[in-house]
Amino acid sequence: IWGIWSILPRNLKAFIVAMSISGFAGPFYWTFSAIYAIDVVGLSSVEWGLIGTAQLATAILFGFPGGKIVDKIGRVRSILLGYVAWIPILLWFICARNFFTLMFIFIVKALTDTLFMPAFMALRGDLIPRELRGRVMALFGMIMNIVAIPSSAIAGVLYQWNPTYPFFANIGLEVFTIAFLILFVKEPTGREV
């Protein structure tokens, strides 16, 4: 593992570190978002399911146009837009108190994901040298899993203290991710093929 890490390009290392911060932050949101929507907002399980359906349908409808935007404005900029949009979306989620508001929030989230996800996958492919792709992807996945291990447990403690705390923790960590991306991850001038 150390042998692979030591030969990676600096920009790829910075990208992995940024995504690791985000990978640690992720469970603070997704572990308790459904519980929050049902227990705090008061949605039924059917309403929560309908929100998931609307979110997936939006992602399907706008996925290809989102990918075209990523190709036009760049991968790093698209990822940053996704993260910057995520903060007010999550704040809005914390404040939401009815089905229709949450439905709208998750449709907006799906729209921002149509920029973030293709940009994330494209940049990862652009940065990983072809001859190392399998090993680096394995390393990437391993790091993402390791950093996420404590997050759900920490989120559980925070949720017990106050149901909004895990989401605020996510916001704080994602602000740190944004700053790290801006400072250390550059749009590649050449792409690995």
Side-chain angles (χ1 to χ4, degrees), residues 44-170:
S44 70
S45 55
V46 172
E47 288 173 324
W48 183 246
L50 288 171
I51 287 171
T53 299
Q55 185 178 8
L56 289 171
T58 303
I60 290 167
L61 286 172
F62 293 94
F64 189 74
K68 286 180 72 173
I69 293 169
V70 168
D71 286 338
K72 185 172 184 177
I73 69 171
R75 281 87 155 110
V76 175
R77 187 176 294 160
S78 297
I79 290 170
L80 283 169
L81 284 172
Y83 277 120
V84 168
W86 173 241
I87 292 167
I89 289 169
L90 190 49
L91 287 170
W92 198 6
F93 171 78
I94 293 167
C95 298
R97 290 297 175 262
N98 63 66
F99 168 72
F100 294 105
T101 303
L102 277 183
M103 174 74 80
F104 187 74
I105 290 167
F106 278 86
I107 288 171
V108 172
K109 181 184 182 316
L111 289 171
T112 63
D113 284 349
T114 63
L115 287 179
F116 176 83
M117 290 310 296
F120 166 76
M121 290 184 284
L123 183 59
R124 191 170 58 182
D126 290 347
L127 293 174
I128 299 173
R130 185 176 184 178
E131 66 278 5
L132 301 175
R133 201 157 284 160
R135 286 171 284 176
V136 173
M137 290 300 293
L139 176 67
F140 198 94
M142 186 189 71
I143 291 170
M144 295 298 106
N145 288 330
I146 288 170
V147 299
I149 286 172
S151 299
S152 293
I154 295 168
V157 172
L158 292 175
Y159 192 89
Q160 192 168 12
W161 289 342
N162 184 307
T164 62
Y165 286 177
F167 307 115
F168 284 117
N170 179 280

